[in-house]
Amino acid sequence: MTDAPADRRPFWPRRSPAFLRARRAVRGVVGESLDDGPRTYQRRAPGVVVGLSGGADSLALTAACVAEAMAAGECGEDPHGCAVVHAVVVDHGLQEGSAAVAEKAAATARGLGATAEIIRVDVPGGGDGAGEGPEAAARTVRHAALHGAALRLGRPLLLAHTLDDQAETVLLGLARGAGPAALSGMAPDRTWDDGVRVLRPFLFSGGPLRRADTEAVCEELGVAPWHDPHNSDDRYARVRARRAALPMLEELLGPGIAANLARTADLVRTDAAALDGWADDALGDALIDAAAPAAPGTANGLDAGTVAKLPDAVRTRALKKWAEANGASALTTAHIAALDKLVVDHRGRGPVALPSAETPDQPGCRLEAHRKGGTLAVSRGSPDPAANPQ
């Protein structure tokens, strides 16, 4: 690719090594989004959606995408900006002046050449508590808004997580005693069931970027990133991991801890994907009358004998998938362990209550997994707030 088409001047200095690294990270993603191949449901229009907070990471990602679109000759002299790169700013309204922060982020994106919009959302609970609760609630709402924008535009969604973010995610998962799903960290490339593809180009294994790299990009481009005050608030576990735990580990165990944690996520993710695929196949073999619809008030049964022969890691995955397919939600390790006992040690055990999401036609519906002979089944009953595993 050339540096930029003649009809639009580069906004970056001739010498900008950090920005070049960011451009290389997004080059394949942007190029693929602009190709002339057939459009699918997942990608109805050329271009990308970028989640923009106004921080250094997302500004670097936005700028790199615009530069690569310019190099591909896709921007021209459009007075409304480079329409193939669309930045979406989510205003949670949790901090004083958040609207001004959002407006500045959108204006900066437009100044770089992208188009931009602001989506204002409400965070359940107001986000005023301590700990991870408000952070998790805001993250859920933010991701839903970004996901919705990508679905509406028919474009992939790009997020600016760096190697440092991945390392923090894995460290927090280790601290919670989490399983492989959490230790896999954030997937660099994932397509959701509704067709939305979510990519994190700065995590690609060919050359993941660090937080210091994105800060250097902003310095090279002369843009001032927003510094979220929550990122220096030690009430949040992620902030403590970033400011205290990881630096301490580097000091005590030597350099490279963050990179090693991110590499661990890559290795675990590969193994977890293989086990999930095995569990999918095993579940298909164990379903009873899988092709026939389940009777009212019941779900398709599961052959307990077939499931019992599976290795532990595959068996528990298959049971979780089966329960979720039959309406269970927010399953914990305790729920899965209780289901597993119905398979491998069922004598004298009663039904296992499973949590389920409320639906308009079945508000607060109670789910119970039970075993009769060699068959595991789920029954739906009246609402019961005490849905706890045995």
Side-chain angles (χ1 to χ4, degrees):
M1 292 183 178
T2 58
D3 231 9
D7 54 3
R8 183 180 281 272
R9 295 176 60 84
F11 56 80
W12 57 93
R14 181 176 295 276
R15 176 169 174 76
S16 48
F19 187 48
L20 179 59
R21 289 195 295 273
R23 289 182 60 183
R24 285 172 175 164
V26 307
R27 184 162 293 166
V29 173
V30 173
E32 181 182 345
S33 76
L34 299 175
D35 67 33
D36 294 326
R39 305 297 173 197
T40 65
Y41 172 75
Q42 292 92 335
R43 193 166 63 81
R44 298 187 300 272
V48 296
V49 171
V50 179
L52 176 62
S53 68
D57 300 341
S58 57
L59 282 175
L61 178 61
T62 303
C65 289
V66 172
E68 288 305 300
M70 288 173 61
E74 291 290 337
C75 295
E77 296 180 332
D78 186 349
H80 301 294
C82 189
V84 295
V85 181
H86 184 64
V88 177
V89 186
V90 179
D91 178 11
H92 306 90
L94 296 180
Q95 302 174 28
E96 185 176 353
S98 65
V101 170
E103 291 289 353
K104 181 180 178 182
T108 302
R110 295 184 186 108
L112 292 169
T115 58
E117 69 173 301
I118 298 171
I119 299 177
R120 292 178 172 82
V121 297
D122 293 322
V123 179
D128 56 354
E132 287 293 330
E135 182 186 34
R139 182 169 57 248
T140 299
V141 173
R142 177 172 67 253
H143 285 186
L146 294 172
H147 191 103
L151 182 62
R152 167 170 50 86
L153 295 173
R155 298 181 180 184
L157 170 63
L158 274 55
L159 302 176
H161 296 106
T162 65
L163 181 147
D164 298 275
D165 297 311
Q166 187 76 297
E168 292 159 12
T169 298
V170 176
L171 182 60
L172 291 172
L174 286 169
R176 294 194 305 268
L183 299 184
S184 297
M186 297 173 287
D189 188 348
R190 176 182 179 182
T191 299
W192 290 81
D193 290 342
D194 60 6
V196 173
R197 187 180 179 194
V198 180
L199 300 109
R200 296 175 171 89
F202 292 167
L203 293 183
F204 288 170
S205 57
L209 267 65
R210 303 292 301 266
R211 193 168 289 128
D213 294 320
T214 63
E215 292 170 349
V217 167
C218 291
E219 184 174 351
E220 289 175 357
L221 299 182
V223 297
W226 173 60
H227 297 284
D228 186 350
H230 282 173
N231 289 337
S232 58
D233 189 340
D234 287 337
R235 293 181 303 165
Y236 299 106
R238 183 174 289 273
V239 174
R240 297 194 297 274
R242 178 180 306 160
R243 290 158 58 96
L246 278 170
M248 182 181 69
L249 289 173
E250 295 269 358
E251 181 180 349
L252 295 177
L253 302 179
I257 295 297
N260 290 339
L261 286 170
R263 187 180 305 113
T264 296
D266 291 338
L267 296 172
V268 174
R269 191 182 312 113
T270 300
D271 291 349
L275 290 170
D276 283 337
W278 187 354
D280 285 332
D281 293 340
L283 182 58
D285 293 338
L287 285 174
I288 298 174
D289 295 329
T298 64
N300 288 117
L302 201 62
D303 187 326
T306 301
V307 176
K309 297 175 184 178
L310 298 171
D312 291 356
V314 180
R315 186 176 65 247
T316 53
R317 280 174 164 79
L319 288 170
K320 183 174 185 291
K321 292 172 181 289
W322 172 74
E324 289 175 340
N326 289 312
S329 64
L331 293 169
T332 66
T333 303
H335 292 116
I336 305 304
L339 285 174
D340 196 41
K341 288 178 180 178
L342 280 182
V343 172
V344 300
D345 184 22
H346 68 283
R347 294 188 182 278
R349 296 189 182 278
V352 174
L354 301 174
S356 64
E358 291 190 5
T359 60
D361 57 331
Q362 291 180 319
C365 177
R366 184 185 65 187
L367 296 181
E368 281 188 345
H370 54 87
R371 177 166 177 165
K372 184 176 182 180
T375 301
L376 209 63
V378 170
S379 297
R380 295 173 173 83
S382 58
D384 182 358
N388 297 314
Q390 296 181 351

